[in-house]
C-alpha cells in the first residue's frame, strides 16, 4: 500500500487544522479520534470540551472491557494520535505500551504528545494491523478503537491479534454494526454511495459491504480462537457525538463537493443510528490457548 492510500481524507483535514493551530479541532480531535461516550445524553452540552471528555470516557470503557491492569504489555492497533495509549499511561503503572498505525504522520504527533509516565514505557510503530511486527504471545491486551472497519480484513486482524496475544489475553474492539434487518440492503447502499460519490467514499476507506453484525463477530471469534467476554451496545451513549463533530468538521473542511458528501454520509449514519439500525458496540474477547 502506498503512503498516499494510507492517508484518510478526514485525517488530512485534522492534521492540516492542527498544524494551523485550529483550537477547536485540536481540542475535539487532537488526542482521541473516535466517538464520545456519555453516561446520560442529558449531560452533553455540545461543547468541544465536553466532547473531549466524552471521547476520553470511551477509551476508559475500552480499558474496562479489556480488563487492563497495572504491569501489562498493551498493543493499541490503529492508534490515531495515541489518545488511548495516553489514557492508559495516565491511569496504570508499570506498563509497556505500544501503538501501531499505518500513517506515519499520525505517529509523529503521537510521539510528540504522549509523554510516558515515570514507571511506563511507550512506543509507536508504523505497521499494518493485519501484519503486526511483533513476536508470538508477547502482549496481554490488544485494542482496536474505532478502526477495524478500515483494516484490510477483520479475520486477518483477529488472527494476527491472536498470534501476538498471550493465551488468556484480551482483544477489545469497538465497531459500528448494522442490525440484522439492514444487512440485505448494505450491498445496495454501498453500491449507491460508491457509484454516486466514488472519490470521497474511497478517500475515507469506507467499505459498507464489509460491515458485520453482532452475530458475525460471535462467529468470527469462534473461528479464530476466542471466547466472547463482553458485548455492550453503547449506541445511545454515543449519539451526542454527531452534532458536535458535524459542526467542528464542517468548519474545518475546505468548501466543496467532497465536504458536502462527507457531511451527508455522516448524517445518514446518524439517522440509521437513531433508528437503532446501526449500532455502536464494544466487544472484548479472550484468546483461547
Ligand atoms: C477513527 S481512527 C481511530 C484512531 C484511534 N484508534 C482513536 O480512537 O483515536 C482510525 C485509525 O485507523 C488507522 N488505520 C487505518 N487502516 C489501518 C491499518 N491497515 N493498519 C493500522 N492502522 C490503520 C488510521 O490511520 C486511523 O488512525
Amino acid at each position: 500500500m502506498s503512503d498516499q492510500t494510507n492517508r484518510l481524507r478526514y485525517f488530512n483535514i485534522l492534521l492540516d487544522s492542527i498544524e494551523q493551530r485550529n483550537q477547536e479541532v485540536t481540542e475535539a480531535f487532537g488526542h482521541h479520534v473516535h466517538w464520545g461516550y456519555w453516561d446520560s445524553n442529558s449531560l452533553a452540552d455540545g461543547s468541544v470540551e465536553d466532547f473531549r471528555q466524552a471521547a476520553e470516557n470511551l477509551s476508559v470503557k475500552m480499558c474496562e472491557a479489556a480488563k487492563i491492569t497495572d504491569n501489562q504489555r498493551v498493543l493499541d492497533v490503529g492508534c490515531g494520535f495515541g489518545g488511548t495509549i495516553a489514557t492508559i499511561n495516565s491511569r496504570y503503572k508499570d506498563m509497556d505500551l505500544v501503538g501501531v498505525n499505518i500513517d506515519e504522520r499520525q505517529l509523529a504527533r503521537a510521539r510528540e504528545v504522549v509523554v510516558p509516565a515515570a514507571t511506563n514505557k511507550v512506543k509507536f510503530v508504523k505497521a499494518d494491523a493485519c501484519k503486526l511486527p511483533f513476536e508470538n504471545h508477547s502482549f496481554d491486551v490488544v485494542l482496536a478503537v474505532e478502526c477495524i472497519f478500515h483494516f484490510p480484513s477483520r479475520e486477518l486482524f483477529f488472527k494476527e491479534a491472536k498470534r501476538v496475544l498471550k493465551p488468556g489475553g484480551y482483544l477489545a474492539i469497538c465497531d459500528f454494526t448494522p442490525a440484522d434487518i439492514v444487512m440485505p440492503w448494505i450491498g445496495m447502499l454501498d453500491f449507491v454511495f460508491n457509484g454516486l460519490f466514488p472519490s470521497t467514499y474511497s478517500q475515507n476507506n469506507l467499505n459498507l459491504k464489509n460491515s458485520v453484525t453482532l452475530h458475525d463477530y460471535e462467529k468470527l471469534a469462534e473461528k479464530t480462537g476466542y471466547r466472547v467476554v463482553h458485548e455492550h451496545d453503547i449506541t445511545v451513549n454515543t449519539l451526542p457525538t454527531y452534532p458536535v463533530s458535524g459542526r467542528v468538521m464542517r468548519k474545518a473542511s475546505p468548501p466543496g463537493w467532497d465536504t458536502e458528501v462527507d457531511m451527508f454520509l455522516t448524517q445518514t449514519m446518524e439517522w440509521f443510528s437513531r433508528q437503532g439500525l446501526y449500532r455502536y458496540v464494544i466487544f472484548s474477547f479472550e484468546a483461547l490457548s
Side-chain angles (χ1 to χ4, degrees):
M1 227 191 248
S2 78
D3 250 26
Q4 216 48 40
T5 343
N6 299 336
R7 297 181 164 196
L8 296 164
R9 178 178 141 81
Y10 64 95
F11 268 100
N12 295 343
I13 295 168
L14 296 180
L15 282 156
D16 284 350
S17 305
I18 291 167
E19 199 184 316
Q20 289 156 18
R21 302 190 187 283
N22 178 322
Q23 294 276 336
E24 202 173 52
V25 170
T26 309
E27 178 75 16
F29 294 114
H31 300 271
H32 298 289
V33 187
H34 55 235
W35 272 199
Y37 177 97
W38 288 262
D39 281 327
S40 160
N41 291 355
S42 60
L43 299 173
D45 69 10
S47 68
V48 285
E49 293 78 11
D50 177 57
F51 173 67
R52 179 171 171 175
Q53 181 56 51
E56 174 71 14
N57 298 345
L58 190 118
S59 285
V60 172
K61 288 275 157 204
M62 292 295 292
C63 296
E64 289 168 0
K67 299 188 194 291
I68 292 181
T69 62
D70 291 339
N71 195 19
Q72 284 192 323
R73 187 160 194 240
V74 178
L75 175 65
D76 183 23
V77 184
C79 66
F81 297 136
T84 299
I85 292 278
T87 302
I88 303 169
N89 182 45
S90 68
R91 298 173 75 91
Y92 300 91
K93 58 181 193 309
D94 302 319
M95 304 300 280
D96 185 352
L97 305 173
V98 183
V100 155
N101 205 315
I102 197 133
D103 181 347
E104 182 55 49
R105 302 168 307 163
Q106 296 175 44
L107 291 170
R109 175 168 169 84
R111 290 186 192 107
E112 209 179 287
V113 295
V114 185
V115 179
T119 63
N120 296 340
K121 286 192 259 177
V122 174
K123 191 164 80 175
F124 291 99
V125 176
K126 184 177 177 194
D128 186 319
C130 295
K131 245 191 223 169
L132 296 171
F134 306 110
E135 288 180 14
N136 294 355
H137 313 312
S138 53
F139 288 93
D140 299 289
V141 168
V142 175
L143 302 172
V145 183
E146 213 175 283
C147 47
I148 196 168
F149 43 85
H150 287 316
F151 298 168
S153 150
R154 283 182 179 79
E155 185 170 335
L156 278 181
F157 170 65
F158 265 57
K159 287 180 175 162
E160 267 300 78
K162 173 88 195 309
R163 183 184 66 72
V164 302
L165 272 172
K166 297 175 186 168
Y170 285 92
L171 164 66
I173 64 146
C174 48
D175 194 6
F176 300 93
T177 62
D180 291 338
I181 54 161
V182 180
M183 280 316 269
W185 305 94
I186 283 281
M188 193 192 74
L189 282 174
D190 186 77
F191 181 76
V192 170
F193 287 146
N194 205 9
L196 289 176
F197 323 118
S199 143
T200 326
Y201 198 67
S202 66
Q203 283 179 70
N204 278 338
N205 207 359
L206 294 167
N207 204 347
L208 266 183
K209 65 178 183 305
N210 281 346
S211 301
V212 297
T213 66
L214 230 116
H215 308 296
D216 293 326
Y217 267 117
E218 289 158 6
K219 284 188 228 146
L220 180 59
E222 201 184 329
K223 184 174 176 193
T224 51
Y226 295 90
R227 177 176 74 86
V228 181
V229 176
H230 175 101
E231 196 179 280
H232 188 189
D233 179 344
I234 59 162
T235 315
V236 169
N237 308 83
T238 63
L239 291 175
T241 300
Y242 288 95
V244 57
S245 98
R247 191 181 75 235
V248 172
M249 287 309 282
R250 174 171 280 289
K251 266 165 69 184
S253 303
W257 174 244
D258 282 346
T259 295
E260 295 312 315
V261 173
D262 267 346
M263 295 296 138
F264 171 72
L265 291 174
T266 312
Q267 279 160 9
T268 307
M269 200 162 145
E270 176 178 3
W271 186 86
F272 273 83
S273 302
R274 289 193 186 279
Q275 310 314 309
L277 296 171
Y278 206 53
R279 300 183 184 131
Y280 195 111
V281 182
I282 295 181
F283 296 93
S284 71
F285 309 91
E286 182 187 347
L288 302 174
S289 39

